[in-house]
Amino acid sequence: MSTGVKTLSRTFEPAPTSVSEARRFARKVLAEWGLEDLVDDAILLTSELVTNAVTHAGTPMTVVVVREVDRLRIDVVDQHPTRVLPLGVNAHPGTGEHGRGLLITSALATSWGVEYRKDHKRVWAAFALVEETLGAEAPAGDGPEDRDVRRREPASAGQDPLGLAGLTLNQLPLADMLELVVEQTRDLFGADAAYLLLEDEMEDRFVVAATSGAAAAIQGRSVRRGEAGAPSLKASFRPLSIADLRATPVELLRSLELGSLVTAPVAFDGRVIGMLAVARAEPGSFTTEDGAQLQRVADWAAPSVDRASTRAADSERRAWLAFQSEASVMLAASLDLETTTAMTGQIVVPRLATWCGIYLNDARDHPRLQFAWHADEHQLDAVRDALEDAEPDGPEAPAAPDVEGEVAILPLEARNRIIGWLTLGRPAGEPLRRERLMVAEAVSRRAALAIDNARAHTELQEIGQSLQRSLLPAVLPEIPGVDIGVGYEPTGEFNDAGGDFYDIFALGAGRWGFMVGDVCGVGPEAAAIAGMSRHTVRALMRAGIPIAPTLERLNAAISDEGLRGRFITLVCGTLEVTAASRFRMRLVCAGHPPPFLVTRTEPGVPARRVGRPQALLGVLDSVDYIEEEVTVARGDRLVVVTDGVLERRSGDTMFEEAGVEAVLATGIDVGAQAVADRLLRAVSDFSSAPPSDDMAVLVLDLARAQPPRSR
């Protein structure tokens, strides 16, 4: 006995092409069964359920179309039973992985559900079939073949040419709504590609906001108004067809293998706000009626697209406001001139420009190039040279550099005076304009104020360096059998001061302590940390606490400073003169370059590094340092330097260990102070550029006693 149930199924691979294949399968089945009135809704539902299965299950899936006596059911069965779907029609759209598909399912279907089994999952949706009598004299039948079934009266093509439910479109997130419109448009025309352009009011351009099929590769790209494939400059409200894209190329589609194109403007309230386009691989495959039909789709979608365009523009404006806010915070965080100018360049590139140059006025108000930046580092040198050539001879604005593309020159104005100029470069045909130009002007005003503040802060840097020098020991102690040499050089104007310090002090019973350190940072705060470190180590070691526990307590004290704390590298040691006029040395290298040890009794042997590098001070909340005993003999020389010596740069070359060793090799027979002076002079002569870091040197010559000296 027949149950009146019909079932057809087909299995598809987990590939994007399966979505369109499943739609064609469902369309064919419903046409064979005479259910044309349900085709639009059923095809849309099938598309969404198969898309979810392809995206989230990743297994082969079977589409089953079942016609029962009073309903049509569509099942999608995949082999990923553990992927749980959110149930319920009140789920917020866009909040989960399956928001769009399930929202459409709940809006279109009479009922739906999910069935989980051990080895598969089945998502199903059903449409009620409403029986309508064919005529008063029609005989009664036994099966569904004798009934004309209708779910609802079909919407006219002018009202809803894509067969989408208005409620569904209104509830979808904007991006999903646009994507759905483009997908259905491509399916309606059987096209190989479809895309939607939306107006970008800030740039007077059109951006590819949604794609389907082969057009996925152009998602996010933009075109100018009037370009081929974009709305015309005269805001034409008519569709356009290009029969052969090889004869009439469209730059936007150049990388795609498409042969023909038809476009329709999306107009709302008398203004073209976008464009809907479909394309096929074969040339000449669109007719005049296709253009008219596409225009009907574009007109129907226009209110929704306008809503999306307005929301996108609002979102863009909020993004630029956030960008300006973040730029202000970043610029206000720096009080160093080089850092501030570099940060300004990296803020505007690549968000506002492809490259930039920053000129600052010198004492005569002549602009001089201070910084250049390019999104492509390989082109930076060429742009920098062009910017230098554009420097003016007087107090006027710099000229536009000889670089291809669009150039904008904005004043850096702070406190009612121009302190420099910001030059921005963009690709040819894309000048700064409209709201983007307003953003650039706002950033230039913020940058000018930050740069001016950084210049004013130079005076505070000098005060910090003076304070730092005042914290060095005024008088060096006299150590029997030991000659002491020291050197200290602060950085020049507008350079990073390193916060270097040194100290030598008596511990009693023939023992002395010594230290050389480098505080991360500049100015009064760095000097304060240097002073705290020096006096903390002095006090603890004079109280009889060994080196390792002393530095561990110093690390805790720096951590207690919170945000005021700084990283410190430090060499700290003790020197003991034994009864036999020998020496015992113990030390800890807390992140500092290990000292150099020169053995005078072996003149042919180069200096060697002693001490094992350990953790920086102020980095970790808790550290465990290990004291090391260094074997030294009469006549040995210990030399401790800071990073400012080793990292002195001349072009791409640094002074490094080789430079120190060369100086030490030539000063075997001179005193400790002469060695310190020679070393600092060699470092200074290594480059004509001013030093970029403080430099400190401590030299201990064992068994070469000298009288005490003062600083």
Side-chain angles (χ1 to χ4, degrees):
M1 177 179 178
S2 173
T3 61
V5 176
K6 290 184 176 181
T7 302
L8 286 176
S9 64
R10 182 172 297 175
T11 300
F12 302 92
E13 293 300 315
T17 55
S18 296
V19 179
S20 58
E21 292 173 1
R23 286 200 298 260
R24 286 193 290 269
F25 166 68
R27 184 186 301 277
K28 179 181 179 182
V29 172
L30 268 63
E32 291 176 353
W33 291 352
L35 301 179
E36 289 84 357
D37 293 337
L38 290 177
V39 165
D40 289 338
D41 289 352
I43 296 305
L44 176 58
L45 188 145
T46 301
S47 176
E48 294 304 321
L49 294 186
V50 173
T51 298
N52 274 339
V54 169
T55 303
H56 304 293
T59 69
M61 83 267 337
T62 300
V63 177
V64 184
V65 183
V66 182
R67 178 182 175 180
E68 300 174 351
V69 174
D70 56 353
R71 68 175 187 171
L72 174 73
R73 194 182 79 240
I74 297 176
D75 301 351
V76 176
V77 182
D78 64 60
Q79 299 170 23
H80 199 316
T82 59
R83 172 69 73 173
V84 178
L85 299 181
L87 297 178
V89 297
N90 295 322
H92 295 292
T95 59
E97 294 175 326
H98 316 275
R100 191 185 88 176
L102 296 185
L103 178 61
I104 291 176
T105 301
S106 62
L108 296 179
T110 306
S111 59
W112 66 280
V114 184
E115 179 183 85
Y116 298 94
R117 296 290 184 179
K118 183 178 181 180
D119 58 351
H120 70 273
K121 175 175 76 269
R122 180 174 70 95
V123 183
W124 61 271
F127 299 91
L129 301 179
V130 180
E131 179 179 347
E132 293 182 357
T133 305
L134 292 174
E137 302 300 327
D142 295 329
E145 297 85 352
D146 301 320
R147 294 190 175 96
D148 182 15
V149 290
R150 298 288 187 270
R151 179 173 180 266
R152 57 176 170 81
E153 289 297 324
S156 67
Q159 294 175 336
D160 188 354
L162 296 181
L164 298 174
L167 177 62
T168 303
L169 279 184
N170 292 334
Q171 291 184 5
L172 284 176
L174 291 175
D176 286 347
M177 182 272 291
L178 295 178
E179 183 180 346
L180 179 60
V181 168
V182 173
E183 285 179 358
Q184 292 301 113
T185 301
R186 182 170 75 95
D187 187 55
L188 176 65
F189 286 86
D192 297 300
Y195 61 92
L196 174 69
L197 293 174
L198 273 186
E199 183 183 26
D200 180 355
E201 295 182 10
M202 294 192 69
E203 284 292 302
D204 196 24
R205 297 173 70 88
F206 288 86
V207 179
V208 180
T211 63
S212 180
I218 63 172
Q219 178 75 36
R221 292 181 57 184
S222 63
V223 294
R224 292 190 298 273
R225 188 186 296 271
E227 286 187 13
S232 69
L233 293 172
K234 297 181 179 180
S236 172
F237 294 91
R238 293 176 297 176
L240 171 68
S241 177
I242 299 178
D244 191 346
L245 287 171
R246 292 170 295 185
T248 309
V250 172
E251 183 63 30
L252 180 65
L253 307 178
R254 187 175 295 274
S255 61
L256 308 180
E257 297 181 357
L258 298 172
S260 55
L261 173 74
V262 61
T263 67
V266 179
F268 188 80
D269 197 20
R271 182 172 61 92
V272 175
I273 60 174
M275 191 189 74
L276 188 61
V278 291
R280 295 192 183 118
E282 302 81 12
S285 59
F286 291 107
T287 65
T288 302
E289 177 55 32
D290 288 331
Q293 175 69 356
L294 184 63
Q295 189 62 65
R296 287 192 290 270
V297 174
D299 293 342
W300 171 82
S304 297
V305 173
D306 179 70
R307 187 176 76 252
S309 179
T310 302
R311 289 279 296 275
D314 290 343
S315 178
E316 180 79 356
R317 292 189 179 96
R318 288 194 297 271
W320 283 116
L321 289 174
F323 168 73
Q324 294 180 58
S325 177
E326 292 170 2
S328 299
V329 172
M330 294 174 64
L331 290 168
S334 172
L335 291 175
D336 175 77
L337 184 62
E338 288 187 4
T339 302
T340 303
T341 53
M343 190 179 299
T344 300
Q346 293 167 12
I347 285 172
V348 300
V349 176
R351 190 72 184 272
L352 288 169
T354 304
W355 57 264
C356 78
I358 298 175
Y359 298 86
L360 296 181
N361 294 346
D362 59 16
R364 299 177 300 167
D365 279 340
H366 292 189
R368 293 293 176 259
L369 182 66
Q370 299 294 317
F371 183 82
W373 191 249
H374 199 294
D376 183 357
E377 294 185 6
H378 296 92
Q379 302 184 47
L380 178 57
D381 291 340
V383 167
R384 183 186 288 111
D385 292 342
L387 289 167
E388 289 176 347
D389 292 340
E391 284 185 358
D393 296 328
E396 62 268 10
D402 185 15
V403 177
E404 183 180 356
E406 309 290 345
V407 175
I409 302 176
L410 306 177
L412 294 172
E413 185 174 356
R415 299 177 176 90
N416 297 321
R417 61 189 180 92
I418 294 177
I419 65 170
W421 300 87
L422 175 63
T423 301
L424 303 177
R426 289 172 59 82
E430 299 183 17
L432 275 174
R433 54 192 172 190
R434 303 182 70 169
E435 295 188 33
R436 199 179 295 267
L437 177 60
M438 296 173 58
V439 172
E441 291 172 341
V443 171
S444 70
R445 290 192 295 269
R446 290 164 169 80
L449 188 59
I451 291 171
D452 196 50
N453 288 340
R455 278 184 160 177
H457 187 66
T458 301
E459 183 177 350
L460 294 178
Q461 289 180 308
E462 294 174 349
I463 294 173
Q465 292 170 17
S466 299
L467 173 61
Q468 190 174 55
R469 287 193 297 271
S470 72
L471 294 173
L472 300 175
V475 178
L476 296 176
E478 181 180 356
I479 303 177
V482 179
D483 184 19
I484 303 172
V486 294
Y488 177 76
E489 287 289 344
T491 57
E493 187 179 16
F494 300 128
N495 287 295
D496 282 327
D500 295 359
F501 64 96
Y502 62 83
D503 199 4
I504 305 174
F505 49 93
L507 296 175
R511 295 174 65 245
W512 281 264
F514 64 89
M515 71 180 87
V516 176
D518 186 348
V519 178
C520 175
V522 297
E525 290 187 3
I529 297 296
M532 181 196 74
S533 302
R534 173 173 171 248
H535 291 294
T536 298
V537 172
R538 260 183 175 248
L540 294 176
M541 292 184 67
R542 281 181 167 175
I545 299 176
I547 304 172
T550 292
L551 298 189
E552 290 163 8
R553 296 184 185 188
L554 174 61
N555 183 77
I558 296 172
S559 298
D560 289 342
E561 291 292 309
L563 296 178
R564 297 186 303 171
R566 303 291 181 95
F567 301 155
I568 300 178
T569 68
L570 184 67
V571 168
C572 185
T574 60
L575 182 66
E576 180 180 357
V577 182
T578 65
S581 295
R582 293 184 177 275
F583 302 89
R584 180 180 295 114
M585 183 179 294
R586 302 183 67 83
L587 57 80
V588 173
C589 296
H592 200 87
F596 295 82
L597 184 64
V598 180
T599 304
R600 184 179 285 104
T601 58
E602 300 177 28
V605 177
R608 61 187 177 90
R609 310 299 289 273
V610 295
R612 178 167 58 89
Q614 301 183 55
L616 290 168
L617 291 159
V619 177
L620 305 174
D621 293 336
S622 177
V623 291
D624 293 313
Y625 290 111
I626 300 174
E627 292 184 15
E628 300 178 75
E629 183 166 344
V630 179
T631 301
V632 293
R634 293 174 61 84
D636 286 357
R637 172 178 290 161
L638 186 78
V639 180
V640 188
V641 301
T642 58
D643 282 341
V645 173
L646 299 174
E647 297 178 359
R648 174 73 161 147
R649 184 179 292 276
S650 176
D652 294 330
T653 306
M654 289 197 299
F655 194 76
E656 295 185 324
E657 292 88 349
V660 176
E661 292 169 359
V663 174
L664 298 182
T666 62
I668 295 298
D669 297 323
V670 299
Q673 188 59 49
V675 172
D677 293 340
R678 283 186 181 184
L679 187 53
L680 287 180
R681 185 166 53 252
V683 175
S684 178
D685 295 343
F686 184 70
S687 173
S688 60
S692 60
D693 197 0
D694 288 349
M695 295 180 288
V697 177
L698 171 64
V699 180
L700 298 178
D701 263 4
L702 308 182
R704 291 181 60 87
Q706 295 289 335
R709 72 212 81 180
S710 61
R711 292 288 294 169

